[in-house]
Amino acid sequence: MESAGEYDYIIVGAGTSGCVLANRLTQRKDLNVLLIEAGGKDDYLWIHIPVGYLHCIGNPRTDWLFRTEPDAGLGGRSLIYPRGKVLGGSSSINGMIYMRGQKTDYDRWAELSGDPSWRWDGVLPLFKRSEDHHGGANEIHGAGGEWRVERQRLSWKILDAFREAAAEQGIPKIADLNAGGGEGSSYFEVNQRRGIRLNTARAFLAPAAQRPNLTVMTGCHVERLLFEDTDAGKVCRGVQFTGGGRAFTATAQREVLLAAGAIGSPQILQLSGIGPAALLQEHGIAPLVDLPGVGENLQDHLQLRMIFKVKGAPTLNTRASNWFGKLWIGLEYALWRTGPMSMAPSQLGAFARSRPDLPAPDLQFHVQPLSLDKFGDPLHRFPAFTASVCNLQPSSRGHVRIASKDTYAAPKIVPNYLSTEDDRKTAASALGLTRRIVASPALARFQPQEYLPGPQYQTEEELAQAAGMIGTTIFHPVGTCRMGRSEDPTAVVDSRLRVRGVKNLRVIDASIMPFITSGNTNSPTIMIAEKAAEDILAGSG
């Protein structure tokens, strides 16, 4: 094997967290950093046009093309499970929605990890540090950071009416969905700059790439981590990877930082001999550290897509149904960077309670002025809108496990959606609440008619069954290398994100979340990287 050199830090994965880490660590001129990415450069046009996610998801140029195993909770269906395989990772193909979650999410993390620095008042400054909010700096938002947050450059009459209808059901209209909690609806804010997607490669990596102490290698597939036995125990010394038909090793003088995401990080750990011993032995891998939690605790937001036909309201279905409409949509974006081509996949958001006695919202709505049978299918020919609703804190847990010792083989992804009675009850309540909103006076003039799942589902049991029929991932996998206390046998990393049982190895991405955040997960992952970088630099001398 060829040597790719010696570095202070090696970052595995140039996705959301990897790009942030590369930026922050190379601000120290005395630190040399290697960033390794399996995908290519983010120079594909459709990455940067907001609606281009339709061309990036399911595209081997930008997506790992994962699928889940058939899921009993979804009637045996298998789902596409997009993960970014390009500089910027999933921030290059996601929905661009800027969302932090609720204060209580981080307070739970702090309690579980035993580290008060993970509380909301500890992580809020980290969110603000990287943020460049369109409204400027204030007590909850930052300005001047790399992560631009803007209002969406469009509005829809049908979405305004849904927002009014939600208010009639006790879900108030609010100005900011990122204040830390509470019920309310508003248009989502997005990570764009004047109608162009902002991924973490442009925001964080591009400035860092000009520094002489950063080396970026794309098209390189990490096969395993390299360890050395010492008097102090097992120490991670580097990585083994392939690229361009050549095999390499690289050495880390200080640490290896695994930032391959909620699917990639547990897979690499397992292939390297860190994980459940029985699983590793099953695939002929000698266990180095028996960590039963690696790959377990998979959590995701299952969105329940309800579709309603309407009359008298323009929707994207009708606007894009003819060549003139499509031409105007293209011109509108080309001339002003506005209109449907600047749209995030979801435009209107709302947080609500499935039951009035809950202390905080447990549901999130993503409402869209369009409808289709499933992702990738053409829009329906009739005017309609989609009201997707997800359980923010599901109790169902899945797992990610290697399928073989072949480092190029996709792992088995088993989400176990709707596998608990609580999740099924919450799903039934969510569908019922959506129906009450749509039946409110504010939407009456559009004569909404339920198209999916259909009005024949009425009882709680029937609605839970319908949820399994229409549910699909909203692409928020987390938790597979969970953070926890030293006495927790299922914890993979400690509160400083150091892997248990080895030295000089951290996991820094969405996989460390002990509980999924109450909302979209991309910007919380940036915060995780900010926190880890701060900790690494503080201890690096």
Side-chain angles (χ1 to χ4, degrees), residues 59 100 120 163 181 213 222 261 287 289 293 316 335 357 364 380 406 408 417 430 452 506 511 517:
N59 183 341
R100 297 170 173 173
W120 171 252
R163 195 177 181 205
N213 56 337
V222 171
V289 182
L316 188 56
L335 295 173
D357 60 324
Q364 182 182 12
H380 290 138
D406 179 359
Y408 284 86
Y417 295 117
L452 195 73
R506 303 192 202 214
S511 70
T517 52

Side-chain angles (χ1 to χ4, degrees), residues 358-375:
L358 293 174
D362 65 333
L363 301 177
Q364 182 182 12
F365 284 90
H366 292 75
V367 193
Q368 309 153 330
L370 55 87
S371 67
L372 38 75
D373 285 334
K374 64 179 185 298
F375 184 86

Side-chain angles (χ1 to χ4, degrees), residues 69-79 417-418 464-471:
E69 297 296 299
D71 198 293
L74 305 184
R77 288 185 293 130
S78 171
L79 302 179
Y417 295 117
L418 300 174
Q465 178 188 2
M469 293 170 50
I470 64 174

